[in-house]
Amino acid sequence: MDNKQATLELGTKPVGKLLIQYALPAIVAMTAASLYNIVDSIFIGQGVGPFAISGLAITFPFMNLSSAFGAAVGVGASTFISVKLGQKDYKTAENILGNTIILNLIIGITFSVVCLIFLNPILRFFGASDTTIPFARDYMTVILGGNVFSHMYFGMNAVLRAGSKPRHAMLATIFTVIMNIILDYIFIMIFHWGIKGAAYATVISQVMALVWQLWVFSNKKELLHFKRGIYGLKKDIVKNIIGVGVSPFAMNVCACVVVIFINQQLVHYGNDLDVGAYGISNKIGFIFVMFVMGVNQGMQPIAGYNYGAQQLDRMMHVVKLAIIVATIIMTAGWLIAMFMPYYCSRLFTKDPTLIGLGIKAIRINLLAFPVVGCQMVITNFFQSIGKVKISIFLSLSRQLLLLLPLLAILPLIYGLNGVWYSMPTSDVCASIIAAFMMMAYMKKFKNQHKNIIHGRQEDNN
């Protein structure tokens, strides 16, 4: 089957089979991505020490901020490409590919240069202490040095999924995981490069995967491929990419702000090891969040294509299926957090104090997970069909509108416990808001679908 036929199937093949076809490779890829993120932490915790885990946790805002700029381009471009493929506008889809390359280069290089210049003050602001800043600085110096390659790698993976090549995106991610694990062991356990070894392993593995991605897009037989004339930035294309990408950008920036505030509050009401415990709980939760992100990535081209093709019944069907699957995944995460927190914490450290703090952090941080999956799918759905304002609102509701005020108020009453319990409280409230928003729009889509069917019947008559 050629690439164009595979794209056309988005509007004809049974929705359930399509979601499995697109979501399964994405889930495998995202799981692999979460694993290599976790493996980094495991090697650092076991091979360097407990305060290195805390230093790594300090870098989370950096990673979120980098992801924000990457998502603004990658997610925006992939969503725009899906809609254009649904409209069979292949020329514009190719121009989006070229503009994605240039935007990733510009943003990746600029972000690295600015952050490297102000690295120490930024890390201090993120909550680094005299104990943790050497670890955080060593890690981020290497990561920022290879940031442009990371931006390009994630951007090309998003375009591969949108261009009906989810398996290629999956293979690229799996390759980075395997290579990262191998290099982690060599650099940390054999060469004893410490936390820098983990950073080098991450960058090198992504560069190697990027080379393969660029080779795939160099094939002229592909529906989307590199060619002359697609690299010049076009105002309308850039505007649409950034317009759609604003939602995930806002989500990641908010995550950055929230993690900074959490780290600062944990240091204020606790100590550096509490920051490490938060880092451990985040790594465990990240596995299941990445599962759901894989479901979202599988849903995105199907929802985007059918929205563009005005097949709203298929669009609504795939959203409902995605919500069910996401809820099952996050409930599984909740069960593990409630009944197996010791084994999760022990993966990252031998230090008994940090293990105990990690157990508490895992149980509380993942307490509301059964309802989080629904909120994630709904937010991604509105983004997938270009409803940017709604997606941004839902993204902000959990992090800025709810979590930040709770982080400021609850610790004043409950101390360190107030910091921990603000997280599941905001999760529950944000999920309720998203559910009401989705129900309201489902009614609109149903009415719109009825009008489309009625119009088609009149045309046939």
Side-chain angles (χ1 to χ4, degrees), residues 203-270:
V203 172
I204 292 172
S205 61
Q206 290 176 351
V207 169
M208 295 172 73
L210 175 61
V211 171
W212 179 75
Q213 291 171 329
L214 297 177
W215 177 80
V216 171
F217 283 112
S218 298
N219 186 352
K220 294 183 179 180
K221 294 181 180 179
E222 297 293 340
L223 180 61
L224 297 175
H225 62 272
F226 299 141
K227 62 167 63 173
R228 291 182 180 180
I230 67 172
Y231 304 104
L233 293 180
K234 293 178 171 55
K235 184 178 179 180
D236 290 342
I237 289 178
V238 172
K239 182 179 178 182
N240 277 284
I241 289 174
I242 301 302
V244 175
V246 162
S247 175
F249 176 82
M251 186 185 300
N252 281 284
V253 169
C254 287
C256 173
V257 172
V258 167
V259 172
I260 292 169
F261 198 29
I262 290 173
N263 285 343
Q264 290 175 342
Q265 293 289 75
L266 288 173
V267 171
H268 179 71
Y269 290 97

Side-chain angles (χ1 to χ4, degrees), residues 142-349:
V142 178
I143 292 293
L144 288 171
N147 183 64
V148 66
F149 302 108
S150 298
H151 269 270
M152 193 69 69
Y153 160 71
F154 287 114
M156 291 299 96
N157 244 20
V159 175
L160 280 172
R161 284 188 294 269
S164 301
K165 287 198 169 293
R167 289 184 182 178
H168 286 67
M170 175 188 71
L171 290 173
T173 306
I174 290 175
F175 172 81
T176 61
V177 174
I178 295 172
M179 187 54 60
N180 193 78
I181 292 172
I182 294 171
L183 294 177
D184 265 338
Y185 181 79
I186 294 171
F187 294 161
I188 297 175
M189 298 301 183
I190 298 178
F191 292 172
H192 302 292
W193 288 357
I195 199 168
K196 274 190 174 182
Y200 279 120
T202 297
V203 172
I204 292 172
S205 61
Q206 290 176 351
V207 169
M208 295 172 73
L210 175 61
V211 171
W212 179 75
Q213 291 171 329
L214 297 177
W215 177 80
V216 171
F217 283 112
S218 298
N219 186 352
K220 294 183 179 180
K221 294 181 180 179
E222 297 293 340
L223 180 61
L224 297 175
H225 62 272
F226 299 141
K227 62 167 63 173
R228 291 182 180 180
I230 67 172
Y231 304 104
L233 293 180
K234 293 178 171 55
K235 184 178 179 180
D236 290 342
I237 289 178
V238 172
K239 182 179 178 182
N240 277 284
I241 289 174
I242 301 302
V244 175
V246 162
S247 175
F249 176 82
M251 186 185 300
N252 281 284
V253 169
C254 287
C256 173
V257 172
V258 167
V259 172
I260 292 169
F261 198 29
I262 290 173
N263 285 343
Q264 290 175 342
Q265 293 289 75
L266 288 173
V267 171
H268 179 71
Y269 290 97
N271 54 51
D272 287 330
L273 288 182
D274 286 302
V275 176
Y278 173 62
I280 290 173
S281 70
N282 253 5
K283 296 294 183 183
I284 298 300
F286 192 61
I287 299 173
F288 300 96
V289 169
M290 292 296 268
F291 275 149
V292 176
M293 287 178 67
V295 174
N296 283 342
Q297 289 179 3
M299 175 193 71
Q300 182 266 321
I302 305 169
Y305 183 99
N306 285 285
Y307 181 74
Q310 288 294 288
Q311 298 185 116
L312 301 184
D313 55 333
R314 292 173 59 82
M315 178 198 72
M316 290 185 288
H317 188 192
V318 75
V319 175
K320 291 177 182 177
L321 288 177
I323 288 173
I324 292 170
V325 174
T327 301
I328 292 172
I329 290 169
M330 297 304 268
T331 301
W334 178 84
L335 289 170
I336 290 173
M338 295 304 109
F339 298 104
M340 301 176 63
Y342 170 81
Y343 301 102
C344 296
S345 187
R346 179 64 181 81
L347 275 175
F348 298 89
T349 181

Side-chain angles (χ1 to χ4, degrees), residues 407-452:
L407 282 168
I409 296 170
L410 292 185
L412 296 175
I413 304 171
Y414 302 107
L416 184 60
N417 284 335
V419 180
W420 292 121
Y421 282 106
S422 62
M423 302 175 207
T425 304
S426 65
D427 285 337
V428 171
C429 295
S431 299
I432 293 171
I433 293 170
F436 276 110
M437 187 73 74
M438 190 64 185
M439 286 188 288
Y441 268 83
M442 275 297 182
K443 291 181 182 178
K444 292 183 180 181
F445 289 132
K446 286 178 180 178
N447 291 333
Q448 191 176 346
H449 176 61
K450 289 178 182 178
N451 292 335
I452 291 171

